[in-house]
Amino acid sequence: DHQRVRHDRSVLVARLGQGVRLAEGAREATAAALTEVLPALGLDAGTVAVLRRGALHSRTVQGAIPQPLRAMLTDGRPLAGRRREVWETHRPVLIENIRSEAAGELARLAEARAVAIQPITNARREMQALLLLSDQHRPRAWSDGDRRMLDIVATSLGVVLDLATVNRPLMAMLDAI
């Protein structure tokens, strides 16, 4: 059983890498990553949110996220609570059972039971975005394998988002020529 889990994770890492590499931009890459990681970890919903003007805005939202929360993520949510903690410390927060702790407005709106807030940084350890994932149906004991998978996804997305940041002015310059 342990060998099967390792094999499944290896396949996921390969598929994740391929999806991110084939993506034409950051939005497509984040969608590809969520498409792979949500079912692999048995989660219901996820988003990749970037910070603009002091608020988190979703770059990609997938899964069973209630419409009011989906709208808020698109319009922007203040960087506060657990999200601020992850942004400032660069350390993930994995909540096993929201109903057993004060998880904050975002988690309550998601109607989630378990939540992962994973920082996405570039190679210089500068924050790029947050990966927010949830399970709406049951509490979850986040395993070491889950943590490793979240680190792999965040590392892949950090590279893609950093390249998008670097390439944006270059592409604008080329378009002007």
Side-chain angles (χ1 to χ4, degrees):
D1 190 45
H2 181 67
Q3 287 290 64
R4 184 187 57 75
V5 169
R6 286 186 66 168
H7 177 266
D8 291 349
R9 296 232 187 244
S10 296
V11 169
L12 173 64
V13 169
R15 289 176 48 174
L16 174 67
Q18 181 180 17
V20 169
R21 278 192 310 276
L22 294 175
E24 292 187 18
R27 188 173 307 276
E28 195 174 309
T30 57
L34 288 175
T35 297
E36 294 298 333
V37 76
L38 289 175
L41 292 177
L43 299 171
D44 301 311
T47 185
V48 174
V50 296
L51 188 65
R52 286 193 318 256
R53 295 181 297 283
L56 288 170
H57 295 266
S58 289
R59 188 172 283 283
T60 303
V61 179
Q62 284 191 11
I65 294 179
Q67 189 54 41
L69 177 58
R70 190 177 290 264
M72 285 182 192
L73 288 170
T74 302
D75 295 341
R77 295 297 310 147
L79 184 62
R82 291 297 185 90
R83 298 177 311 273
R84 177 177 289 286
E85 175 187 334
V86 171
W87 195 274
E88 291 175 352
T89 66
H90 296 201
R91 288 193 310 267
V93 169
L94 304 175
I95 301 168
E96 294 184 357
N97 188 355
I98 283 176
R99 295 183 183 157
S100 69
E101 69 171 87
E105 172 194 21
L106 193 64
R108 284 192 305 279
L109 287 169
E111 300 171 6
R113 294 295 305 271
V115 171
I117 308 172
Q118 177 75 31
I120 300 172
T121 61
N122 63 18
R124 297 173 303 283
R125 297 278 303 143
E126 298 165 334
M127 284 298 295
Q128 299 290 303
L130 292 179
L131 173 64
L132 299 111
L133 304 170
S134 67
D135 186 327
Q136 269 92 7
H137 303 291
R138 62 194 171 282
R140 174 191 192 98
W142 297 96
S143 70
D144 288 340
D146 294 339
R147 292 171 193 272
R148 282 191 300 276
M149 184 53 54
L150 291 170
D151 285 341
I152 289 166
V153 171
T155 299
S156 298
L157 289 174
V159 169
V160 168
L161 294 173
D162 198 31
L163 286 173
T165 302
V166 169
N167 286 341
R168 193 173 305 121
L170 177 61
M171 296 312 251
M173 213 168 41
L174 289 174
D175 284 344
I177 296 178

